[in-house]
Amino acid sequence: MSAEVELYRTDDYVRVGRVPLVRLLQSVFERLLGEALVGSRFELLFLPVADGSELPGSPSVVNLRSSHGYVRVRIVRDGEVLYQHPHAVREIIARPLQRLLAERIPAETHWGFGVRGPGFDQVALVRPVPEVDGRIEVTVGSRRPRAFHLEEVHDPDPPAASLAELGADVADEVPEAPEAAKDPGAVPGVAVVVDRDVADALKHRTEFSGDVEEGGFLAGHVYRDADRPGSHLVKITAAIAGERTGASLLHFTFTGESFLRINEQLARRGRDERLVGWYHTHLFPATSEIGLSSVDVELHTTTFRRPWQVAGLVNIERGSPDDRVLRFYHAEPGSEDMSLTSYWVTAG
């Protein structure tokens, strides 16, 4: 039996039809990979991890099997693995389905869907309770005084510096940077300067696995951008492989002991470095369409919460382990989105 997506119309969730799953997947991954996937095989492992996030936009589209909210995607053609990475179901199924339904049946504002195929017989399809007009909720608070309260202590402002003072070779164009980054006067909210030795290690010397994603921490220093008020410059002086990291069904991840170990290492280095971010690998070629996945963004925004902390991404092409692309991303202020940021390598 081939995999399909069953459609349920309005918030009464009346089943009205089906869409081939491969059609939705092709629409996503052909655009991302920049090539036709005729003759390719999609291998999907749906993971029993709930995803409570809503898909923005219209019409609203609800996964009725949300207990399995993530899926590992593997694309194979002629025995060669073209792509392998985890994704949220809303990202690669709900989103193209939303576009299709908006085009075909624009008058309908609400849909439900459920993946149907081998292995899904035992996965419950749950219809949410419809919203009731006029309903309000009242929470009864406690009159007991609080025993204590928490208050965030803000970091002192970092020192000011310019790209030139950090040793950036501003004449050395970084091809992986966004177009705005090629003009030093048009840097976004966070820009990165990488020690040449660190960049060379990530792009050439470090022996990364070709089978599983790996990663670690980025150490360095943070500055206010002297030339661009409100912006930060991050100087990366070390990329340190993570210890006691985890490899969940979804992604490379850090543990509490990972952070204890990195703090100990930074103290031993004695260079007054800070934890300025993290890096990890993707085992497929870099394209302009594929950067951090939604899973990567969630890890960053829930773990590395300083506005100047960055995520480094090293794309490694299978079969060509020396062919790598290094990019950096930063979180958008007041948003859960992340953007490609500019970076320069030191001139030394």
Side-chain angles (χ1 to χ4, degrees):
M1 180 176 63
S2 61
E4 299 175 311
V5 178
E6 295 183 316
L7 300 177
Y8 298 80
R9 192 169 184 172
T10 76
D11 57 7
D12 289 328
Y13 298 110
V14 178
R15 187 167 64 184
V16 294
R18 299 170 182 168
V19 175
L21 177 57
V22 69
R23 175 181 175 184
L24 300 176
L25 296 176
Q26 278 185 273
S27 71
V28 172
F29 289 102
E30 287 186 344
R31 176 175 57 86
L32 291 180
L33 297 177
E35 62 178 286
L37 295 176
V38 176
S40 301
R41 183 176 73 254
F42 287 88
E43 299 176 358
L44 308 176
L45 174 61
F46 286 86
L47 306 174
V49 180
D51 178 18
S53 301
E54 294 184 1
L55 179 69
S58 181
S60 59
V61 178
V62 177
N63 181 7
L64 303 183
R65 288 196 167 96
S66 60
S67 62
H68 288 61
Y70 292 88
V71 56
R72 286 197 66 92
V73 179
R74 193 167 185 258
I75 304 175
V76 181
R77 183 171 60 205
D78 298 328
E80 178 188 357
V81 177
L82 302 180
Y83 181 89
Q84 179 173 284
H85 200 67
H87 288 273
V89 168
R90 62 183 149 79
E91 182 181 15
I92 63 169
I93 298 178
R95 184 169 293 151
L97 183 62
Q98 182 185 59
R99 289 195 292 263
L100 177 66
L101 293 171
E103 178 184 338
R104 296 290 181 84
I105 313 177
E108 184 57 69
T109 61
H110 188 85
W111 294 86
F113 74 93
V115 176
R116 179 176 182 269
F120 269 87
D121 295 341
Q122 304 303 316
V123 179
L125 189 145
V126 180
R127 293 174 171 83
V129 177
E131 291 289 334
V132 178
D133 291 338
R135 185 182 68 179
I136 62 172
E137 295 183 359
V138 178
T139 301
V140 179
S142 171
R143 295 185 178 181
R144 296 173 59 187
R146 295 179 179 177
F148 64 91
H149 75 281
L150 299 177
E151 184 174 327
E152 183 178 0
V153 177
H154 295 282
D155 288 337
D157 285 341
S162 66
L163 287 170
E165 289 171 335
L166 297 184
D169 186 357
V170 294
D172 185 12
E173 181 179 298
V174 179
E176 290 79 37
E179 286 298 319
K182 299 175 183 179
D183 174 9
V187 181
V190 179
V192 174
V193 177
V194 190
D195 276 359
R196 185 167 297 276
D197 185 65
V198 176
D200 288 345
L202 291 173
K203 296 181 71 172
H204 304 291
R205 300 197 311 270
T206 302
E207 294 184 1
F208 290 118
S209 170
D211 299 313
V212 296
E213 293 183 4
E214 296 180 299
F217 297 100
L218 299 172
H221 304 278
V222 183
Y223 302 89
R224 287 180 291 113
D225 193 328
D227 298 322
R228 300 157 193 86
S231 296
H232 288 96
L233 293 176
V234 175
K235 175 75 175 290
I236 297 175
T237 55
I240 303 172
E243 296 184 23
R244 300 291 183 176
T245 56
S248 70
L249 290 173
L250 280 176
H251 51 61
F252 166 84
T253 187
F254 299 102
T255 66
E257 193 166 352
S258 301
F259 286 93
L260 291 176
R261 295 288 181 91
I262 185 60
N263 286 329
E264 291 172 355
Q265 290 189 59
L266 293 183
R268 286 196 301 268
R269 285 169 61 87
R271 302 179 185 180
D272 199 28
E273 294 163 311
R274 304 182 70 174
L275 185 60
V276 297
W278 64 295
Y279 69 92
H280 76 299
T281 60
H282 279 181
L283 305 179
F284 49 86
T287 74
S288 60
E289 293 284 352
I290 306 178
L292 297 179
S293 70
S294 62
V295 176
D296 300 330
V297 171
E298 183 176 357
L299 187 154
H300 183 93
T301 56
T302 57
T303 307
F304 298 87
R305 308 189 69 170
R306 302 294 188 190
W308 38 260
Q309 287 181 313
V310 296
L313 177 61
V314 183
N315 283 88
I316 303 173
E317 186 168 354
R318 287 176 179 271
S320 302
D322 294 330
D323 188 7
R324 305 177 184 180
V325 173
L326 173 63
R327 292 178 285 183
F328 292 95
Y329 296 81
H330 72 281
E332 293 284 357
S335 169
E336 294 185 356
D337 295 329
M338 297 186 67
S339 297
L340 184 67
T341 192
S342 55
Y343 81 91
W344 287 266
V345 177
T346 56

